[in-house]
Amino acid sequence: MTDRNLIEKAKQAVNNAYAPYSRFPIGAALECDDGSVFTGSKIENAALECTLCAERSALAAAVSAGHRSFKRIAIYAESGSYCFPCGTCRQVLWEFSPNIEVLCARVDGRYVSYPLTTLLPEPFSSQSMD
């Protein structure tokens, strides 16, 4: 799967987002190490803290299907700016795949790519509890 294919899946996931409060729908597509792809959409809640980001939505679907190792995640928002994962999403992605590649796309089709280690240089991990 190409970067563009993965980004297109994230773009399609925007259509399922529930974002009545922020009016900022986001979609994500998570590629597993075996090549399978799971999508997720932002799901807001009136109690904003209960909002589920698209990235964690995709991760939850993949983990629920038995996957534990991931290659790339694409994040798309219909915005002129790149949509990066929030700190919580970065930490949750780290739990499963510290070396995952993060693709952040914007409405004009441009995207940037970073390894998660660049976006989260000092994660909390199981070694932190030793």
Side-chain angles (χ1 to χ4, degrees):
M1 172 163 300
T2 68
D3 287 357
R4 293 278 178 207
N5 294 137
L6 195 63
I7 290 167
E8 184 58 33
K9 288 185 178 296
K11 184 177 180 178
Q12 291 169 2
V14 166
N15 295 325
N16 295 325
Y18 177 74
Y21 305 105
S22 71
R23 291 180 174 65
F24 191 69
I26 300 171
L30 179 66
E31 182 180 11
C32 303
D33 280 348
D34 69 359
S36 57
V37 175
F38 290 82
T39 60
S41 305
K42 180 181 186 181
I43 305 166
E44 291 183 345
N45 188 279
L48 293 178
E49 189 173 300
C50 297
T51 293
L52 180 61
C53 296
E55 300 92 308
R56 284 183 284 135
S57 176
L59 183 74
V63 170
S64 295
H67 296 273
R68 300 289 187 272
S69 187
F70 309 102
K71 189 171 165 178
R72 294 181 300 170
I73 188 165
I75 305 155
Y76 176 86
E78 293 185 351
S79 171
S81 300
Y82 297 111
C83 186
F84 290 92
C86 72
T88 300
C89 288
R90 293 174 197 203
Q91 181 65 49
V92 173
L93 288 166
W94 181 275
E95 180 75 19
F96 293 93
S97 294
N99 296 312
I100 194 170
E101 179 183 6
V102 180
L103 308 173
C104 304
R106 60 188 197 190
V107 73
D108 66 2
R110 297 187 71 182
Y111 71 97
V112 293
S113 173
Y114 294 95
L116 183 59
T117 54
T118 297
L119 298 177
L120 186 66
E122 297 295 331
F124 185 84
S125 68
S126 59
Q127 289 82 17
S128 302
M129 296 185 285
D130 291 340

